[in-house]
């Protein structure tokens, strides 16, 4: 099997795995701090032997400055997981995932502030499109049984999760040359240490189902997912990894519908579609003028 095909399969598998994590978070029935701790702990159990086998645990694999940057990125990633998982109970998995996909715009804003990157008219147009989708979601009624205050809080936490993911991505730009598996290992070790004092919150997990979901999130949704993801990134061009990354929100929305019966209202569907369209346009560098019917006619004439 050629590298490109294998990379596409690895990327698709990683995104399908990511799209099902919300289901496991909900059915685990555990406090979010516990869920993230065990995700990190079980994930570390997978990534430590992988990094050791690849020779990444040598002292010269990462400099002291890069270690501190990776630790800062780990703090951002853990904050991202805590906020995103907390958002599920207020805004539902579908809405939280759609709002979470505003992360490319957060990264553009951070890049402009701290790296002096230029914001083009095309990026502003996609940003305006995503903002319109956000307004539709915010103004829509929450699903039956949900409290309006919790709904808005869930949206706010999903936005916060997107911000911390973008912050981690910004930090990762300064870690060029560091093996990505090693960065992932540092992230989960940071999460394990940071959340250890909160482990007793909510009582000790009991039952095969609870332990099974927690172990699956760590072994499959963290360890295996990172291995597949980074393996795909090494084999695929950027535009393909960007395109395949949108499997994740689609799977998450389908899982939310099938597992919990959550359906999106018309305004929420339009809002989520606008956010995902804008995120795809931003990530893949689509020329937004081509989407306008009169511009399409001009280009074809």
């Amino acid at each position: 099997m050629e590298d490109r095909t294998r990379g596409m399969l690895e990327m698709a598998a990683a995104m399908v795995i990511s799209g099902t994590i919300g289901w496991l978070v909900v059915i685990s029935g555990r406090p979010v701090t516990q869920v993230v701790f065990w995700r990190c702990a079980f994930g570390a159990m997978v990534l430590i032997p992988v990094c050791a086998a690849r020779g990444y645990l040598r002292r010269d694999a990462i400099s002291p400055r890069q270690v501190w940057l990776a630790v800062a990125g780990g703090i951002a990633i853990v904050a991202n997981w805590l906020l995103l998982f907390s958002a599920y109970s207020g805004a539902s998995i579908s809405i939280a995932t759609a709002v979470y996909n505003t992360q490319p715009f957060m990264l553009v804003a951070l890049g402009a502030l701290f790296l002096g990157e230029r914001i083009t008219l095309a990026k502003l147009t996609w940003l305006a499109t995503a903002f319109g989708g956000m307004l539709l979601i915010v103004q829509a009624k929450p699903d039956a049984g949900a409290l309006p205050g919790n709904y808005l809080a869930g949206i706010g936490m999903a936005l916060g999760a997107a911000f911390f993911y973008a912050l981690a991505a910004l930090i990762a730009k300064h870690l060029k040359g560091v093996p990505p598996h090693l960065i992932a290992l540092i992230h989960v070790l940071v999460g394990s240490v940071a959340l250890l004092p909160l482990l007793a919150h909510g009582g000790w997990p009991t039952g095969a189902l609870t332990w099974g979901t927690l172990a699956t999130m760590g072994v499959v949704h963290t360890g295996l997912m990172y291995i597949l993801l980074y393996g795909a990134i090494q084999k695929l061009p950027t535009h393909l990894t960007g395109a395949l990354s949108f499997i994740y929100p689609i799977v998450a929305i389908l899982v939310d519908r099938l597992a919990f019966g959550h359906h999106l209202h018309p305004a929420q569907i339009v809002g989520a579609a606008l956010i995902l369209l804008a995120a795809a346009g931003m990530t893949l560098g689509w020329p937004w003028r081509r989407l306008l019917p009169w511009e399409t006619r001009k280009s074809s004439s």
Side-chain angles (χ1 to χ4, degrees), residues 49-72:
V50 169
C51 288
R54 289 172 173 257
Y56 295 157
L57 299 184
R58 306 184 319 270
R59 284 190 176 183
D60 60 347
I62 185 170
S63 69
R65 177 180 176 275
Q66 290 172 327
V67 169
W68 286 111
L69 282 171
V71 168

Side-chain angles (χ1 to χ4, degrees), residues 25-59:
V25 170
V26 173
I27 67 171
S28 73
R30 306 309 303 162
V32 169
T33 51
Q34 266 194 26
V35 170
V36 177
F37 170 82
W38 287 112
R39 180 184 188 183
C40 290
F42 282 117
M45 294 178 192
V46 175
L47 290 169
I48 287 173
V50 169
C51 288
R54 289 172 173 257
Y56 295 157
L57 299 184
R58 306 184 319 270
R59 284 190 176 183

